[in-house]
Amino acid sequence: MSPRNLALSSFGLVVVGCIICAIGTAVWIDVVGITVAGIGAVGLLAAFFLAVGQADDRYRGKNPHG
């Protein structure tokens, strides 16, 4: 999975989690929404680090001695 696809799907989870929290009236629905949004936030952070790592790998492939 590319960093872009991971970021888009993770952002979708964040949005869905926020919508669940906004619509929910019970505490357990809020817990589910916060959990879904939290998983999406972790996915966004993972996409960022994946993109940085891939860029570093490309740079080191083009410049093996520094």
Side-chain angles (χ1 to χ4, degrees), residues 13-50:
L13 283 174
V14 171
V15 170
V16 168
C18 291
I19 291 171
I20 291 172
C21 285
I23 293 174
T25 56
V27 174
W28 68 270
I29 296 174
D30 288 338
V31 170
V32 170
I34 291 169
T35 302
V36 170
I39 291 170
V42 170
L44 284 172
L45 186 63
F48 171 75
F49 280 111
L50 179 61

